[in-house]
C-alpha cells in the first residue's frame, strides 16, 4: 500500500495533502478518489485513509483505519558521520533511514571537506520523508545541523560511543556491555580521524569497530556499521 506523510493524523479525521505530498499522490502514484493509502506522521504513528476528493493541488483523505503506533526492538542507533561529497550524502541518508537509524549528525572533523548548509539539510530531510514512504517506516530519522566533534562530545557526555577506525576492533561482548538503549556511531571523513581525534575518543572510552582487510568509504562505513550494530544489538 502506498504511503504519504502528514504531521496531524492524530488530530483530525479529514486530512488534506498539499504541495509535494499531493503532487506525489496525484502525479507519481496516480491515485484517485476511492483509493486507499497509509498516512504517517513521522512520530511513529500510521493510519489507513481513503481519498475522497482531489483538485490540481490538493488531495483530501478521510481516515478509515485504526491508528497504529510503531513498536520496535531495534536499539537507538544514531550516526554522526562526516558528510561525503555530492550525491553520496543523499544516498547515505536514504539508506540510514531504511535501516532504522534514529538520527544523523553531519560531523565536522579536522579532515572534513563537505559542510552542508541549511538548504542542503532541508533537502536531506525531504529525502528522509521519501525513504520512509518507500520502506514503510512511520518515524522520521532526525537530521541535525553540522556539529564539530568537540561539541558533539560535550553534548553527549554519557552516550556510549562506537567509532569506525581501521585496526584492532573491540569484541562484541565489550560493545554490548558498553551500550544501553542508545549508541552513537562515529564515522570519519576520507582519510579518517586524526591521531588527536582518536586520542580524544579513546579518552571517552569509545569502542572501536573495523572492517577486516579493507578500508571503507565514508558512506559505505556508515551504512555497513549501522546495519551491523542494529543487527548485533537487537
Amino acid at each position: 500500500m502506498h504511503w504519504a506523510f502528514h504531521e496531524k493524523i492524530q488530530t483530525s479525521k479529514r486530512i488534506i495533502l498539499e504541495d509535494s505530498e499531493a503532487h506525489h499522490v496525484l502525479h507519481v502514484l496516480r491515485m484517485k478518489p476511492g483509493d486507499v493509502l497509509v498516512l504517517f506522521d513521522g512520530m511513529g504513528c500510521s493510519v489507513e485513509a481513503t481519498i475522497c476528493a482531489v483538485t490540481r493541488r490538493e488531495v483530501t483523505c478521510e481516515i478509515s483505519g485504526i491508528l497504529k503506533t510503531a513498536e520496535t526492538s531495534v536499539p537507538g542507533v544514531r550516526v554522526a558521520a562526516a558528510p561525503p561529497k555530492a550525491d553520496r550524502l543523499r544516498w547515505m541518508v536514504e539508506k540510514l533511514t531504511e535501516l532504522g537509524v534514529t538520527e544523523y549528525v553531519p560531523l565536522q572533523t579536522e579532515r572534513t571537506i563537505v559542510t552542508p548548509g541549511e538548504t542542503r539539510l532541508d533537502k536531506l530531510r525531504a529525502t528522509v520523508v521519501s525513504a520512509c514512504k518507500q520502506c514503510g517506516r512511520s518515524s522520521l530519522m532526525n537530521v541535525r545541523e553540522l556539529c564539530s566533534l568537540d561539541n558533539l562530545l560535550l553534548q553527549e557526555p554519557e552516550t556510549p560511543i562506537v567509532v569506525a577506525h581501521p585496526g584492532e576492533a573491540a569484541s562484541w561482548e565489550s560493545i554490548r556491555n558498553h551500550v544501553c538503549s542508545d549508541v552513537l556511531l562515529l564515522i570519519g571523513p576520507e582519510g579518517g580521524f586524526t591521531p588527536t581525534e582518536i586520542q580524544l575518543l579513546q579518552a571517552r572510552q569509545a569502542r572501536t569497530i573495523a572492517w577486516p582487510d579493507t578500508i571503507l568509504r565514508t558512506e559505505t562505513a556508515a551504512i555497513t556499521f549501522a546495519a551491523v550494530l542494529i543487527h548485533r544489538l537487537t
Side-chain angles (χ1 to χ4, degrees):
M1 191 176 294
H2 296 303
W3 284 49
F5 173 66
H6 196 283
E7 295 176 336
K8 298 182 178 180
I9 62 173
Q10 299 187 60
T11 61
S12 176
K13 281 288 186 179
R14 177 160 289 205
I15 300 297
I16 298 177
L17 302 177
E18 301 174 304
D19 302 325
S20 60
E21 289 302 306
H23 174 81
H24 183 74
V25 169
L26 291 173
H27 303 295
V28 178
L29 302 179
R30 299 185 181 279
M31 301 185 77
K32 300 176 181 179
D35 289 342
V36 179
L37 73 166
V38 174
L39 302 178
F40 73 105
D41 65 358
M43 301 297 291
C45 294
S46 60
V47 66
E48 286 188 11
T50 301
I51 297 175
C52 54
V54 299
T55 68
R56 296 182 65 182
R57 298 180 180 273
E58 294 183 348
V59 177
T60 302
C61 303
E62 192 80 26
I63 291 178
S64 55
I66 299 174
L67 187 71
K68 300 176 183 179
T69 302
E71 295 182 5
T72 177
S73 59
V74 175
V77 174
R78 297 183 291 134
V79 174
K85 295 178 181 178
D87 202 43
R88 289 157 50 197
L89 174 57
R90 184 203 60 79
W91 183 78
M92 183 182 77
V93 166
E94 178 183 85
K95 300 311 169 188
L96 293 179
T97 302
E98 292 177 14
L99 288 172
V101 170
T102 59
E103 182 174 75
Y104 167 60
V105 184
L107 187 62
Q108 175 76 59
T109 71
E110 292 185 34
R111 292 171 176 163
T112 295
I113 297 175
V114 179
T115 55
E118 192 57 40
T119 300
R120 185 74 188 281
L121 294 177
D122 285 341
K123 291 181 179 179
L124 292 178
R125 294 179 183 115
T127 294
V128 170
V129 173
S130 178
C132 283
K133 290 188 287 189
Q134 291 294 325
C135 71
R137 173 177 172 175
S138 58
S139 57
L140 298 178
M141 181 180 72
N142 184 40
V143 177
R144 285 172 49 180
E145 295 181 353
L146 186 73
C147 185
S148 71
L149 178 60
D150 288 342
N151 285 338
L152 184 62
L153 295 181
L154 288 174
Q155 294 169 12
E156 308 276 351
E158 305 296 332
T159 304
I161 293 175
V162 175
V163 55
H165 187 67
E168 185 175 353
S171 68
W172 279 106
E173 181 181 3
S174 172
I175 292 175
R176 287 194 191 95
N177 292 336
H178 183 54
V179 174
C180 299
S181 59
D182 184 51
V183 60
L184 185 60
L185 171 64
L186 266 58
I187 308 291
E190 305 296 334
F193 292 104
T194 65
T196 300
E197 289 169 335
I198 290 298
Q199 290 177 359
L200 184 63
L201 291 168
Q202 289 173 341
R204 269 292 313 275
Q205 305 300 311
R207 301 300 192 269
T208 301
I209 191 170
W211 196 253
D213 301 328
T214 62
I215 297 175
L216 306 180
R217 298 181 75 165
T218 298
E219 68 276 15
T220 309
I223 295 165
T224 299
F225 292 129
V228 170
L229 280 174
I230 290 171
H231 176 68
R232 297 296 292 266
L233 297 176
T234 299

